[in-house]
C-alpha cells in the first residue's frame, strides 16, 4: 500500500434494492486528515462502517494499513458507569497505558465523578473520543465529532485533532460542517446519492465551483438572500441601494452556503 493508510476499490452497499454506495473508489494517505462529506442519507456513515469492519458490504475491496480507533456517530455506555471507570476498562481491554494528558485535553477530569447518564451530549462525545484514542491507534475515525458540542468544546476537540495529526496519525472525519472541514482537513471527498462527486483539496473544490458566498439581509419588508463571489462589492452595493430606498436593516448574515448547495452546483456542472 506504500503511503496509503486506506484504499477503497469499487465499494458497493444496498439495502432492499436501495443503492447506498455505488462503487466508491478513493484512497487516504498516511498522516493526512481526510473528510468524507455528505448531507444526511448520502452514505458517509455507511462507507465508514464498511471500512471500520462494522458493516458488511456487497462487493469491492477495502485495504487498511494500521490500527484503528473509532468514535461512532451514535454510541452508548452503561448508564451508571463513570468516565474513569470506562477509561480503565477500555485501557485493560486494549492492554494500553492511560494517557492522562490526552484525558485532560478532552476535559475528562472535569466529569470523572459523574455517571454516564448524567453527562451532556457534548461530554459524552468527548468521552467517546477519549476511549477511541486509548489504544494509541494509527488511524482515527471521527463521525460527526463536534455534534452537540459548545464553542469551547469544538475548539478543544479541534486542537486535539491537530495534535494527533502532528503525531503522524491518519484522521478520517465525517462531517457536514464546511467550516470545520476547511480548518482541519487536507483533502475531502463529497458523497451524493451513493457516488463520490468530488475528491481533492478545498482549493480544488473552490476552483471547481467558485468561492460562493450568501448574504442574508433582514429588513422590515422581509428577508432576502443574495449569492456572490465578491462579498465587499456586493455588500456595499446592497447597503447603498437600501439606504437610498430608506429601507431599515434589521440583520445581516454572511455564510459560505450549505453542502447541499454545493452538491446542487456540482451536480449541475456534471450534467452540463
Amino acid at each position: 500500500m506504500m503511503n496509503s493508510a486506506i484504499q477503497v476499490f469499487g465499494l458497493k452497499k444496498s439495502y432492499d434494492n436501495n443503492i447506498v454506495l455505488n462503487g466508491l473508489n478513493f484512497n487516504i494517505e498516511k498522516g493526512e486528515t481526510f473528510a468524507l462529506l455528505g448531507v444526511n442519507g448520502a452514505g458517509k456513515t455507511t462507507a465508514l462502517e464498511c471500512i471500520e469492519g462494522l458493516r458488511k458490504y456487497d462487493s469491492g475491496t477495502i485495504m487498511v494499513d494500521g490500527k484503528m480507533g473509532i468514535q461512532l456517530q451514535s454510541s452508548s455506555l452503561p448508564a451508571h458507569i463513570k468516565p474513569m471507570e470506562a477509561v480503565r476498562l477500555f485501557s485493560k481491554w486494549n492492554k494500553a497505558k492511560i494517557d492522562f494528558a490526552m484525558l485532560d485535553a478532552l476535559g475528562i477530569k472535569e466529569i470523572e465523578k459523574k455517571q454516564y447518564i448524567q453527562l451532556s451530549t457534548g461530554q459524552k462525545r468527548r468521552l467517546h473520543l477519549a476511549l477511541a484514542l486509548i489504544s494509541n491507534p494509527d488511524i482515527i475515525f471521527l463521525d460527526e465529532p463536534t455534534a452537540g458540542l459548545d464553542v469551547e468544546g469544538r475548539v478543544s476537540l479541534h486542537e486535539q485533532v491537530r495534535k494527533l495529526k502532528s503525531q503522524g496519525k491518519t484522521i478520517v472525519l465525517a462531517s457536514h460542517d464546511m467550516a470545520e472541514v476547511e480548518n482541519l482537513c487536507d483533502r475531502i471527498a463529497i458523497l451524493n446519492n451513493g457516488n463520490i462527486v468530488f475528491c481533492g483539496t478545498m482549493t480544488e473544490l473552490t476552483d471547481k465551483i467558485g468561492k460562493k458566498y450568501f448574504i442574508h439581509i433582514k429588513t422590515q419588508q422581509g428577508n432576502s438572500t443574495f449569492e456572490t463571489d465578491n462579498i465587499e462589492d456586493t455588500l456595499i452595493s446592497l447597503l447603498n441601494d437600501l439606504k437610498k430606498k430608506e429601507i431599515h436593516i434589521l440583520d445581516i448574515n454572511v455564510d459560505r452556503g450549505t453542502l447541499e448547495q454545493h452538491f446542487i452546483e456540482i451536480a449541475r456542472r456534471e450534467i452540463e
Side-chain angles (χ1 to χ4, degrees):
M1 294 180 64
M2 299 189 70
N3 290 325
S4 293
I6 298 170
Q7 291 184 341
V8 177
F9 303 98
L11 180 61
K12 292 186 177 182
K13 176 65 180 178
S14 299
Y15 299 105
D16 299 325
N17 296 320
N18 178 34
I19 298 175
V20 179
L21 304 176
N22 191 23
L24 304 189
N25 296 287
F26 63 92
N27 73 291
I28 302 172
E29 300 299 318
K30 291 179 180 178
E32 79 170 332
T33 302
F34 184 92
L36 195 60
L37 309 181
V39 295
N40 291 335
K44 58 184 187 297
T45 294
T46 297
L48 288 188
E49 290 178 348
C50 290
I51 296 170
E52 294 159 353
L54 300 176
R55 188 175 298 277
K56 291 183 179 180
Y57 47 95
D58 300 330
S59 61
T61 301
I62 298 173
M63 301 173 66
V64 178
D65 185 7
K67 184 192 299 184
M68 294 187 290
I70 303 168
Q71 182 203 35
L72 298 174
Q73 184 181 42
S74 177
S75 55
S76 186
L77 292 168
H80 301 293
I81 196 171
K82 294 181 179 179
M84 284 309 299
E85 291 174 339
V87 167
R88 284 191 286 270
L89 180 61
F90 274 64
S91 177
K92 188 171 183 179
W93 279 344
N94 288 280
K95 298 179 180 179
K97 292 182 179 180
I98 298 174
D99 184 348
F100 289 98
M102 178 269 290
L103 297 180
D104 287 342
L106 290 174
I108 303 303
K109 186 173 180 60
E110 302 167 7
I111 59 174
E112 62 180 346
K113 295 182 180 180
K114 292 185 177 182
Q115 295 179 338
Y116 185 77
I117 196 173
Q118 297 172 315
L119 301 180
S120 68
T121 300
Q123 290 170 335
K124 287 177 180 178
R125 296 196 71 77
R126 297 207 314 262
L127 176 58
H128 298 159
L129 176 56
L131 298 178
L133 297 177
I134 280 178
S135 64
N136 190 26
D138 305 299
I139 305 168
I140 302 153
F141 292 87
L142 306 176
D143 196 348
E144 302 289 356
T146 56
L149 292 184
D150 56 19
V151 174
E152 185 178 356
R154 288 168 61 89
V155 170
S156 175
L157 188 137
H158 288 178
E159 289 176 354
Q160 187 64 31
V161 169
R162 293 187 183 96
K163 180 180 178 181
L164 292 167
K165 178 178 173 60
S166 72
Q167 296 170 356
K169 307 292 187 184
T170 302
I171 300 165
V172 184
L173 173 72
S175 179
H176 63 272
D177 188 329
M178 284 294 287
E180 178 172 82
V181 168
E182 200 166 9
N183 287 331
L184 295 176
C185 297
D186 300 304
R187 289 192 303 134
I188 64 173
I190 297 179
L191 268 175
N192 193 26
N193 293 325
N195 297 289
I196 291 181
V197 294
F198 173 82
C199 187
T201 65
M202 287 299 298
T203 299
E204 290 169 339
L205 177 61
T206 298
D207 291 341
K208 186 178 181 71
I209 64 173
K211 198 166 187 177
K212 293 184 179 298
Y213 295 89
F214 295 85
I215 301 173
H216 309 281
I217 298 180
K218 181 179 181 180
T219 70
Q220 293 173 330
Q221 296 181 358
N223 300 326
S224 301
T225 297
F226 305 88
E227 182 179 330
T228 181
D229 294 326
N230 188 318
I231 295 177
E232 294 85 355
D233 291 347
T234 304
L235 193 54
I236 290 171
S237 176
L238 289 170
L239 293 177
N240 287 335
D241 185 52
L242 291 171
K243 186 175 181 178
K244 288 179 181 178
K245 294 178 180 178
E246 297 183 349
I247 297 175
H248 181 59
I249 299 172
L250 301 177
D251 191 25
I252 296 179
N253 181 49
V254 178
D255 64 48
R256 290 288 304 275
T258 65
L259 277 173
E260 188 167 7
Q261 288 167 325
H262 291 310
F263 290 153
I264 292 170
E265 180 66 15
I266 289 173
R268 181 184 67 78
R269 297 191 182 194
E270 291 293 333
I271 291 171
E272 290 178 352

